[in-house]
Amino acid sequence: MKRIAVYCGSATPADPVYIESARMVGRTLAARGIGLVYGGGKLGLMGAVADAALAAGGEVIGVIPQALVNAEVAHRSLSELHVVDTMHERKARFTELSDGFLTIPGGTGTMDELWEAMSWAQLGYHAKPVGLLNVAGFYDGLIAFVGKMGDVGFLRPQHQNILLTDDDLDRLLARMADFEPTVPIIRMKRDDL
């Protein structure tokens, strides 16, 4: 993987484990020569992951809507900053620019990005790995919910491994690098649906 889109929050929670984990992700990607594609902001975990990658000599590409540039939250010291009109364009650009997706803690915007990456993988709009770094158990409930979707039957058996989860970044990156895409819905036969 040459570039990974990292989805994360623009907030800075009180517990320092979250900001430190974002910095660790940025440093690790840069050390491995993997470019960072992210939301282009300078605040919270977004700013922390970008600053850490930049400080370690990594490539950092931001993708940010014009409205957030106008709100003065854009990070102006990146390798590249792509300004788009809408959030839809932002997510499409993430997919174009990256070879995989890594979600670390965040809020509703982060969840929107994660769910779309998973949905597009399931449908067959991309065949890239979707990883979730479970920092300090932050995503325990979400991981259980994804399991529940499979148990109930809303997530087909062949799609239950689209979301790769781990609490260790090195293991998660290794799993992402070894990812084998499943049969997407657009290639399935009617009887399989």
Side-chain angles (χ1 to χ4, degrees):
M1 293 182 293
K2 293 179 182 176
R3 291 181 181 150
I4 292 179
V6 173
Y7 298 144
C8 60
S10 60
T12 304
D15 188 335
V17 69
Y18 298 111
I19 205 84
E20 288 305 320
S21 67
R23 290 179 180 134
M24 181 265 303
V25 167
R27 285 190 304 268
T28 301
L29 293 179
R32 291 176 175 225
I34 300 172
L36 166 67
V37 178
Y38 86 114
K42 63 182 178 182
L43 305 176
L45 270 65
M46 273 195 205
V49 71
D51 287 341
L54 289 167
E59 174 191 45
V60 180
I61 300 171
V63 183
I64 190 166
Q66 183 64 54
L68 293 177
V69 173
N70 295 346
E72 299 183 7
V73 298
H75 197 307
R76 299 291 186 173
S77 301
L78 307 176
S79 308
E80 296 176 27
L81 182 64
H82 298 246
V83 179
V84 296
D85 291 326
T86 68
M87 294 298 279
H88 296 292
E89 289 177 67
R90 182 191 217 182
K91 292 183 289 183
R93 188 71 55 90
F94 287 148
T95 302
E96 292 168 14
L97 293 171
S98 68
D99 301 309
F101 310 91
L102 173 62
T103 299
I104 64 175
T108 53
T110 304
M111 292 300 90
D112 175 51
E113 293 161 344
L114 171 64
W115 288 118
E116 184 165 290
M118 288 177 62
S119 176
W120 285 16
Q122 178 178 285
L123 289 167
Y125 295 152
H126 73 74
K128 301 173 183 183
V130 180
L132 180 78
L133 185 61
N134 191 19
V135 175
F138 183 78
Y139 284 121
D140 286 350
L142 180 75
I143 293 166
F145 177 67
V146 171
K148 176 86 172 182
M149 287 191 301
D151 293 344
V152 170
F154 287 114
L155 192 58
R156 293 169 183 84
Q158 58 269 50
H159 300 136
Q160 290 179 14
N161 294 320
I162 285 176
L163 183 62
L164 307 172
T165 65
D166 209 305
D167 61 2
D168 180 87
L169 181 60
D170 290 328
R171 282 193 310 254
L172 182 55
L173 290 174
R175 292 179 63 205
M176 290 175 69
D178 292 340
F179 175 72
E180 292 289 331
T182 187
V183 177
I185 288 174
I186 60 174
R187 291 199 189 117
M188 295 174 75
K189 296 182 179 169
R190 182 176 176 188
D191 291 341
D192 296 327
L193 297 172

